[in-house]
Amino acid sequence: MKNSFDTAGVIRFQQALLSAPQDFRALQIQRVRLDFKNFLCEHFDFNERQLRQISQLSPEFTARMSAVIASSWGLGLPIPFRKEKRLTDEDAKDIILSTTTGNLSFTVGIWIRYRSARADCLRSEPEFVGGNFERLWTFQRTDAY
C-alpha cells in the first residue's frame, strides 16, 4: 500500500525504511539516487496534478533532492519533512530544501509550502531545520496542473 504524501505519510515511510534490514535500505537508497521520480511514484499516493508536477521536475532538481535524501538515509537519519495544505487553487507551491553540513553533522529538511500566487514575493523563512534554505522549485498557477 502506498503512503499518503503528507507530513504524517512521509514520517511513517521513513520510520519503516530506516528500521528495515540494511540490505533493503541500501537498495532503496540506490533507487532514490538513480530513479527519483519513479521511487516517489512507487511509494507515495499522488493525484493527477501531482503526477504532472513530478513529471516536470528538472534533472537538476531531481539530482539535488536524490543526493541529499540518499545521503541522509545512508547515515540512518530521517529527513524532517513538512507539507502544508493548499488553501486555494490559486496558491503557488514552493519546495524548500534546508541543509546544514559540519565536520560531524549533516542535516537536511524538506518543506513544501503554499503562498498566494498574487503576491510575487517570498515570505520570510522561519527556522525549519536550520542552515541554508534553497527554494528549489516553484509551481505557479500558470504551470500545467
Side-chain angles (χ1 to χ4, degrees), residues 32-61:
V32 164
R33 285 188 193 278
L34 299 176
D35 196 6
F36 181 71
K37 292 178 186 182
N38 283 325
F39 179 88
L40 285 176
C41 293
E42 181 179 317
H43 293 284
F44 295 97
D45 189 27
F46 295 105
N47 62 39
E48 286 195 34
R49 179 180 62 219
Q50 291 169 313
L51 290 171
R52 281 192 297 276
Q53 290 174 355
I54 290 169
S55 73
Q56 295 173 5
L57 295 173
S58 70
E60 296 80 16
F61 175 90

Side-chain angles (χ1 to χ4, degrees), residues 15-131:
Q15 288 171 340
L17 177 71
L18 294 175
S19 64
Q22 178 62 34
D23 57 341
F24 177 79
R25 187 173 14 157
L27 177 63
Q28 298 307 309
I29 291 169
Q30 181 181 24
R31 290 195 61 240
V32 164
R33 285 188 193 278
L34 299 176
D35 196 6
F36 181 71
K37 292 178 186 182
N38 283 325
F39 179 88
L40 285 176
C41 293
E42 181 179 317
H43 293 284
F44 295 97
D45 189 27
F46 295 105
N47 62 39
E48 286 195 34
R49 179 180 62 219
Q50 291 169 313
L51 290 171
R52 281 192 297 276
Q53 290 174 355
I54 290 169
S55 73
Q56 295 173 5
L57 295 173
S58 70
E60 296 80 16
F61 175 90
T62 57
R64 180 79 172 118
M65 289 297 270
S66 64
V68 296
I69 290 169
S71 294
S72 187
W73 289 348
L75 295 171
L77 300 172
I79 297 166
F81 177 87
R82 184 172 71 203
K83 182 175 186 278
E84 297 176 356
K85 292 185 190 258
R86 178 185 294 264
L87 297 177
T88 73
D89 284 341
E90 305 263 329
D91 290 347
K93 178 191 294 186
D94 292 328
I95 300 176
I96 309 292
L97 177 68
S98 172
T99 57
T100 303
T101 55
N103 291 340
L104 301 173
S105 67
F106 172 78
T107 305
V108 61
I110 299 170
W111 176 23
I112 299 176
R113 71 169 183 200
Y114 294 92
R115 60 185 168 79
S116 172
R118 294 179 185 174
D120 192 26
C121 62
L122 293 175
R123 301 187 316 197
S124 60
E125 309 296 354
E127 185 73 18
F128 175 51
V129 173

